[in-house]
């Protein structure tokens, strides 16, 4: 169903993001090697793999935060077609990252300003886009805090006074309020207890579907991948070993490593 | 270097150093200073600071790095301002120094005496007579004129620092005019207090380009920066930055569309000179909590009193006692 929707909205328009033959080495360590994929508008791509398999490095390269050793990342710039993100002038790349992309960090402390209130954190992307009307921004912040199910009377509390799960929800609101075209998520539910994880996943799935976002979700949790992703990429030792529709990869894994991964999940 | 010639104080200084005829200046010099160069700093350092200053004037609001020197006072006591003054001052200058608006505080008196000694210049408390005014926290109430130079002592030149700790990042933000983040602090203010409650170091946009911290002057003084006929120079010694607002430059205080910029106001007038238009300090008079408001600009207040203006404190015994105790 989700792929049908992705095809509807996406394929005519062409990919929003194209990664070609991307490699990133750290000295002798080959963190990513020859990665290739395309992402269409409205599509959610999951990247799974064990720890150290290069998922996060790949995400950092794709989101323009880390220059690849070779290969390119091309993004559909408005009115400009696909442009190599790393060939853009720094000013334009920073503008893309700020205005058209969102990045949800694994640890909310990395993605939030811990010294300013939750409300200001959520409103900041609007100020970056040039909004200079406090009342408008306040109203939209309230709207988004209620969308991520946070108590509105805590809007002016500092993030450090919220629980980990709540901080993560603040971070998600901050990364969606400016209607980005693509959102990168690095283990969005990592380190949260299971019940909070479930609610957060529910929320994320709902938002991603309703907003028709393109998203890349890095996770080592196959459950998260099953719930959120339309398509899966399985990584091992920096290589993509298997790609396909999520249900297909998880129900009928082809590569030996994927089979191991799937069979390793605890069944309750 | 035609720009140098246009600035009277730099010009005078150039003449002083080029002449290297220290005997000519010697008559103003206090004994025992023969081993010091004119105006304390060595000529190479002054030259370096003047270059940074010229660049700062050429790019209004841009923070120019410079090699700040050890000064005979600790960081935080105005080393940036002292270095700027030392590299600009010449024997013909008239020097005024204020701290929190007052000419008679320890720091102001010391710095004024310092330049009287090492540069042999005339010093004054009269704003209109001064050619260089070094200041901390205030811009004098008397209107400034062309040819005057304000030198601000700046503790933290980076307006974004409170939100963005990394220098590499703030430099990129200035370079690409990414100033949305600056409004986060204003947002916090309105969210917490219902209005923009920041009172000092209120960020301004200079010449439509660079966001700048006007040093810890009260926002009451921000409008005085806008299209001022005087040259405004800002020196941060510890942070090693010089920046400037050339004469007649647009300076706009940041605000929100629905929360416009406002300056402080007081319900009372000055207790000494009954001024209504100046920046007030609150002075507690006794243990019962009685208080009075007085002009923070001591020279402005004294001038008004000399002209016959009188506040209510003239008839009040405890206020009079306090003032006499001070004097």
């Amino acid at each position: 169903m989700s792929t049908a929707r992705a095809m509807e909205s996406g394929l005519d328009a062409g990919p929003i993001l194209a990664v070609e033959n991307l490699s990133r080495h750290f000295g002798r360590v080959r963190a990513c090697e020859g990665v290739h994929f395309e992402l269409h508008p409205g599509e959610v791509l999951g990247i799974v793999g064990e720890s150290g398999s290069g998922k996060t490095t790949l995400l950092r390269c794709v989101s323009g935060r880390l220059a690849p050793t070779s290969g390119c990342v091309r993004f559909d710039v408005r009115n400009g077609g696909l442009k190599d993100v790393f060939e853009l002038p720094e000013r334009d790349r920073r503008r893309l990252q700020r205005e058209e992309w969102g990045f949800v960090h694994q640890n909310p402390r990395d993605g939030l300003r811990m010294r300013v209130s939750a409300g200001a954190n959520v409103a900041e992307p609007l100020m970056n886009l040039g909004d200079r009307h406090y009342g408008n921004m306040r109203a939209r912040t309230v709207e988004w805090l209620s969308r991520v199910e946070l108590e509105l009377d805590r809007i002016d509390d500092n993030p450090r006074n919220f629980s980990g799960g709540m901080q993560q929800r603040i971070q998600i609101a901050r990364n969606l309020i400016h209607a980005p075209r693509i959102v990168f998520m690095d283990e969005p539910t990592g380190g949260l207890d299971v019940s909070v994880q479930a609610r957060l996943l529910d929320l994320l799935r709902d938002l991603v579907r309703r907003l028709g976002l393109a998203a890349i979700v890095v996770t080592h949790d196959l459950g998260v991948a099953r719930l959120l992703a339309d398509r899966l990429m399985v990584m091992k030792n920096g290589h993509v070993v298997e790609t396909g529709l999520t249900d297909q990869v998880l129900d009928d894994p082809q590569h030996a490593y994927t089979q191991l991964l799937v069979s390793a999940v605890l069944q309750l | 270097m035609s720009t140098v010639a246009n600035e009277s104080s730099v010009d005078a200084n150039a003449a002083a150093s080029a002449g290297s005829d220290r005997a000519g200046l010697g008559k103003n010099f206090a004994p025992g200073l023969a081993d010091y160069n004119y105006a304390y700093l060595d000529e190479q350092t002054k030259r370096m600071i003047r270059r940074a200053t010229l660049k700062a004037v050429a790019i209004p609001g841009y923070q120019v790095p410079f090699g700040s020197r050890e000064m005979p006072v600790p960081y935080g006591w105005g080393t940036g301002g002292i270095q700027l003054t030392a590299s600009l001052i010449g024997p013909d200058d008239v020097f005024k120094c204020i701290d929190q608006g007052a000419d008679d505080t320890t720091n102001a008196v010391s710095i004024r005496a310092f330049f009287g000694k090492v540069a042999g210049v005339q010093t004054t408390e009269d704003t209109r007579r001064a050619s260089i005014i070094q200041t901390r926290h205030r811009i004098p109430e008397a209107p400034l004129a062309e040819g005057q130079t304000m030198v601000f002592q700046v503790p933290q030149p980076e307006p974004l620092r409170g939100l963005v700790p990394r220098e590499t990042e703030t430099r990129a933000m200035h370079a690409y005019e990414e100033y949305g983040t600056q409004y986060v602090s204003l947002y916090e203010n309105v969210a917490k207090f219902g209005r923009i409650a920041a009172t000092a170091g209120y960020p301004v946009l200079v010449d439509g380009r660079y966001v700048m911290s006007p040093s810890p002057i009260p926002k009451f003084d921000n409008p005085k920066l806008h299209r001022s006929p005087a040259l405004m120079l800002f020196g941060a010694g510890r942070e090693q930055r010089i920046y400037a607002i050339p004469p007649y430059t647009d300076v706009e205080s940041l605000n929100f569309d629905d929360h416009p910029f406002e300056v402080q106001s007081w319900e009372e007038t000055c207790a000494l000179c009954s001024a209504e238009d100046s920046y007030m300090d609150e002075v507690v008079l006794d243990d019962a909590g009685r208080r009075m408001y007085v002009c923070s600009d001591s020279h402005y207040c004294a001038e008004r009193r000399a002209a016959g203006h009188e506040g209510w404190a003239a008839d009040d015994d405890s206020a009079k006692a306090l003032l006499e105790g001070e004097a």
Side-chain angles (χ1 to χ4, degrees):
Chain A
M1 180 196 94
S2 49
T3 18
R5 188 184 46 80
M7 285 171 76
E8 227 171 78
S9 57
L11 283 189
D12 337 324
I16 188 172
L17 187 79
V19 173
E20 286 160 28
N21 203 22
L22 182 137
S23 301
R24 171 71 211 200
H25 304 160
F26 297 100
R28 288 187 299 111
V29 179
R30 298 174 171 238
C32 291
E33 192 70 39
V35 177
H36 194 101
F37 69 87
E38 284 186 348
L39 187 74
H40 290 263
E43 189 183 30
V44 179
L45 174 71
I47 303 177
V48 296
E50 60 190 356
S51 113
S53 59
K55 308 181 297 274
T56 298
T57 302
L58 176 61
L59 192 74
R60 287 178 63 202
C61 287
V62 170
S63 60
R65 288 160 180 257
L66 181 69
T69 309
S70 64
C72 69
V73 177
R74 297 199 290 163
F75 180 76
D76 180 28
V77 184
R78 275 179 191 149
N79 321 321
L82 285 176
K83 284 269 170 63
D84 189 336
V85 169
F86 290 96
E87 306 237 299
L88 289 174
E90 190 185 21
R91 175 195 287 259
D92 294 350
R93 185 164 65 248
R94 289 172 64 102
R95 193 194 59 75
L96 272 186
Q97 286 172 328
R98 200 172 60 243
E99 296 179 1
E100 302 199 20
W101 299 356
F103 195 104
V104 178
H105 291 262
Q106 175 170 9
N107 186 339
R109 284 174 195 80
D110 298 336
L112 293 176
R113 289 187 196 287
M114 298 306 281
R115 295 167 75 178
V116 302
S117 68
N121 265 292
V122 176
E124 186 182 346
L126 299 177
M127 300 183 223
N128 284 336
L129 281 168
D131 197 329
R132 298 287 179 260
H133 192 284
Y134 176 82
N136 290 349
M137 288 190 286
R138 187 76 169 176
R140 285 191 60 192
T141 308
V142 166
E143 179 196 328
W144 268 93
L145 286 180
S146 60
R147 275 174 109 159
V148 295
E149 301 172 13
L150 284 168
E151 291 162 46
L152 297 182
D153 58 353
R154 297 195 60 189
I155 182 169
D156 294 326
D157 290 359
N158 269 15
R160 70 163 61 87
N161 298 332
F162 287 85
S163 76
M166 289 165 140
Q167 288 177 358
Q168 196 58 296
R169 279 181 275 164
I170 298 171
Q171 198 194 179
I172 287 167
R174 174 183 163 94
N175 277 287
L176 294 180
I177 191 169
H178 57 305
R181 293 165 68 206
I182 184 165
V183 179
F184 303 97
M185 295 189 233
D186 189 1
E187 308 270 13
T189 61
L192 300 178
D193 74 62
V194 187
S195 63
V196 176
Q197 242 189 53
R199 289 186 56 187
L200 200 58
L201 280 177
D202 224 31
L203 170 80
L204 267 180
R205 184 168 57 165
D206 185 56
L207 289 174
V208 163
R209 293 287 176 255
R210 205 178 314 166
L211 302 171
L213 279 176
I216 299 182
V217 184
V218 161
T219 178
H220 58 261
D221 185 332
L222 294 184
V224 172
R226 170 88 85 175
L227 270 171
L228 283 181
D230 300 316
R231 243 175 354 118
L232 269 196
M233 262 174 35
V234 183
M235 289 189 74
K236 185 175 190 330
N237 292 338
H239 291 267
V240 174
V241 293
E242 187 166 353
T243 60
L245 300 179
T246 303
D247 293 350
Q248 182 190 328
V249 171
L250 294 183
D251 293 341
D252 182 17
Q254 300 295 310
H255 190 273
Y257 173 70
T258 320
Q259 292 169 355
L260 190 72
L261 203 64
V262 171
S263 64
V265 175
L266 284 176
Q267 306 287 332
L268 291 178
Chain B
M1 301 272 271
S2 59
T3 336
V4 179
N6 291 338
E7 280 174 45
S8 59
S9 51
V10 177
D11 205 6
N13 198 0
S17 52
S20 77
D21 176 21
R22 305 253 330 274
L25 298 164
K27 62 179 186 294
N28 292 326
F29 266 40
L33 284 170
D35 294 336
Y36 283 91
N37 188 36
Y38 179 75
Y40 188 78
L41 288 177
D42 62 276
E43 292 305 314
Q44 283 303 322
T45 300
K46 289 194 214 167
R47 209 172 280 180
M48 174 269 296
I49 292 174
R50 285 179 209 137
R51 272 200 297 268
T53 308
L54 286 174
K55 182 170 179 180
V57 170
I59 317 172
Y62 173 73
Q63 299 167 42
V64 183
F66 78 108
S68 181
R69 298 291 192 253
E70 283 291 324
M71 295 306 288
V73 290
Y75 284 131
W77 287 22
T79 52
I82 295 175
Q83 288 177 79
L84 267 176
T85 302
S87 56
L88 294 175
I89 207 162
D92 301 335
D93 275 312
V94 181
F95 182 67
K96 172 183 163 89
C97 187
I98 53 176
D99 180 2
Q100 306 272 8
D103 293 274
D104 50 7
T105 57
T106 312
N107 209 356
V109 170
S110 305
I111 294 174
R112 200 162 56 232
F114 176 74
F115 281 111
K117 217 177 197 180
V118 300
V121 293
Q122 258 191 303
T123 59
T124 182
E125 296 190 4
D126 186 345
T127 306
R128 290 184 186 81
R129 267 195 66 218
S131 61
I132 298 179
I133 305 168
Q134 184 172 329
T135 176
R136 167 199 207 77
H137 291 133
R138 281 306 313 277
I139 296 175
E141 306 291 356
L144 300 171
E146 279 184 25
Q148 286 186 308
T149 303
M150 290 285 303
V151 174
F152 295 77
Q153 303 168 196
V154 181
Q156 177 49 265
E158 180 50 72
L160 293 157
R161 182 61 74 239
L163 293 156
V164 185
R166 283 172 56 200
E167 176 70 11
T168 46
E169 181 64 14
T170 49
R171 283 221 216 176
M173 291 167 85
H174 283 294
Y176 302 138
E177 288 182 79
E178 295 172 359
Y179 289 137
T181 305
Q182 186 72 66
Y183 287 84
V184 170
S185 57
L186 303 186
Y187 180 102
E188 280 288 87
N189 263 282
V190 181
K192 290 221 164 81
F193 306 109
R195 64 199 169 83
I196 301 178
T199 52
Y202 192 102
V204 293
L205 183 69
V206 180
D207 200 23
R209 175 60 182 82
Y210 283 98
V211 165
M212 187 196 94
S213 163
S215 88
I217 61 170
K219 64 179 172 182
F220 181 87
D221 288 340
N222 273 16
K224 295 181 193 163
L225 296 170
H226 179 61
R227 302 199 67 77
S228 166
L231 170 66
M232 309 277 182
L233 299 177
F234 300 78
R238 183 193 52 195
E239 302 292 325
Q240 315 198 323
R241 294 289 184 276
I242 287 172
Y243 51 103
I245 305 175
Y248 302 108
T249 303
D250 287 334
V251 178
E252 182 194 340
S253 301
L254 302 185
N255 61 11
F256 287 125
D257 297 346
D258 49 346
H259 288 273
F261 172 78
E262 283 172 352
V263 299
Q264 296 100 320
S265 59
W266 290 263
E267 280 166 12
E268 290 184 38
T269 57
C270 174
L272 303 178
C273 75
S274 71
E276 294 169 358
D277 54 352
S278 81
Y279 186 83
M280 303 284 180
D281 285 339
E282 186 180 350
V283 180
V284 176
L285 291 176
D286 56 25
D287 291 345
R290 289 203 322 130
R291 61 199 61 205
M292 63 177 176
Y293 288 87
V294 294
C295 296
S296 98
D297 184 338
S298 57
H299 182 260
Y300 179 74
C301 197
E303 221 179 20
R304 279 179 56 87
R305 271 176 285 156
H309 296 277
E310 202 169 72
W312 60 262
D315 310 322
D316 187 280
D317 289 339
S318 56
K320 249 196 287 191
L322 190 83
L323 289 169
E324 275 156 20
E326 262 184 7

